[in-house]
Every structure is written in C-alpha cells, then in structure tokens.
Amino acid sequence: MAVLVIGVQVAAFVAEPVYVRGESKGKVLDYATDITPDGLFVETNQERADYGLPPLRLDAQLDDSASMKAANMFALDYWAHVSPTGIQPWYWFTKAGYNYSYAGENLAMNFDTTDGVMQGWMNSPGHKANILNVHYVDVGFAVENGTLVGQETTLVVAHYGSPATSPVVAAAPVSTPSVPAVPVATRAPTPVPTPAPTSTPSPMPSAAPLTAAEAADDVSPGAPAPISYSLFKPLSLTKTASAGTLVTIGLLLILLVVYAYTHMTVWRKGLKRWRTGHYRLYAASQISAITVLILLLATSGFGRVG
C-alpha cells in the first residue's frame, strides 16, 4: 500500500501541466498546491462564458497590483481587504499604474487547487459578482506562498478592473514605501472611481455591509467583505483536492475496509488474540489513525475566501 501511495504521488506530479511543475523547479520543498495564475485566468473566463459574458483580458499592471497586495498581507501579517494601516485595495491599482473607472478584489487562502479557489468564489455572492461583473474588462492574479497569521499557506489575490478614459499615470513613489506601513492619511491620493455618467449602476454591491473604514473612504465597494465562507455547501472533493490526493484517499479507504474487516472477523470468531488487551489497543489505533488521515486529506483543500 505504501508503494502504491508513493507511486500515485509520483504519477500525479508527472501528469501535472508543464507550467505547474515549472513553478516548483529548483525548490527542494514546496507547497502542495496546483493553483496557478494561468489556471485562474482560464477558469474565470470559462465562468463568464457560461453566463454569456465576454472574456477578461490578462493585464500586467493588475498582475503587479495583485502581487503587491499579497506581499503587503504577508509583510503586515493580516487577512483583509483593508490593511491594518488603513490602505484600501484601490491603492495598489494606482501604485501599479492602472488608472481605473471600476475596480474589484477577490482573496483566497488555504486552497490546494485552482478549481477549489474558483468554487469558493462562485459559492459566495460577493465574489461571484466580481467574477461576473459586466463592467470589468481586465484582470490580474497573484499566487504567493508564505506564512500568514502563523500558518504556511498559498495566498491568491485577484484584481479586476476597467481602465479610465484618461491616460494611465503611475502613482508617484514619494512618501509611500513599497512595503507599507503607511499612515491612514496617505489614502487621500487614492482616486474615487468616477464612471462616466451613464444609466449603468455603480460597481457591484459587496457580499456584506461595508466596514467603517471602507465607508469612511467612500470608495466603490468592489471587494467583498473579508468573511470566511465554507466550501462544505456544496461539498466537492473532486474540485478542492488534487487528483493525487483523491487517489490516495481511495487507497486509504480500501486499507481501512481491509483492517476493519480483519479485526471484526477476529472479534466475531472470538479468537484468542482478541482477548488480549494489547491487540485490541493495536486494532483501535490502526482504525483511528487511518480514519484521521483520510479526514485530514479530505479537508486539506478547503480554504477561505475574502
């Protein structure tokens, strides 16, 4: 069984797309995740196509803004749309040189697969509204590994936007360090989205009422409130766990059935070894350990969206 499990993991690695394996090249140990910006981009446009919406364009500036937001969350050790120093998501759009008329942000962490991230976002009304927003034309992604709130994780940031009609002007690097501990007062340069006067509504509503900090800034609520959403509704292991993990769970289930059947047979027949305390302890520990391992693997791909 051990040889089978190892073989499955090796086969799963070999079967991964080249761009997935390429991201781990040169690393002795890496995070067990199949999430990639390319995969997120493809699946985002698949979701939009399912609803009859035009595809988004992958924008290098939004890639940069998403990367800066991810780096800031790791640096200041927080999980929210607004930083502890009061920096709004829109600051990163401007800093990357993306002059927007509409803007939005989705966050995710602790997922194993791109499918899992997308399912988490689509299960949440606010995040789904960002993905399917008719006003957005561009998107950028960041997938970064690090330690957040004491836990090693893969952090995913998606920035959605629509460029303003005026030329793009990058934010001046004065008085704002790249890894901010920026006072709240520096939020003033962040532009308030002002779409051209049309009959269309303002950017989509958030998943929950805005926080006091967001309301005070009077920015377009293009980021869902940082709430954790459970992926157990609906439960979908096939999307949240990788293929190698699913096969490993299957093998462990077979092993669990074999052990359970063996020990039940010994118990039912009243064989001598069952009457010894150490054998019963051995049987209980075997069954318990395999059950716990299966549960840990099954829930490993369930993350949080924000």
Side-chain angles (χ1 to χ4, degrees), residues 179-224:
V179 177
V182 183
V184 177
T186 59
R187 288 177 291 165
T190 305
V192 177
T194 50
T198 62
S199 57
T200 54
S202 58
M204 58 10 117
S206 58
L210 295 180
T211 64
E214 288 172 321
D217 267 40
D218 193 27
V219 295
S220 299

Side-chain angles (χ1 to χ4, degrees), residues 6 73 131 141 156 181 256:
I6 293 171
M73 282 195 284
I131 294 170
F141 300 99
V156 181
L256 179 63

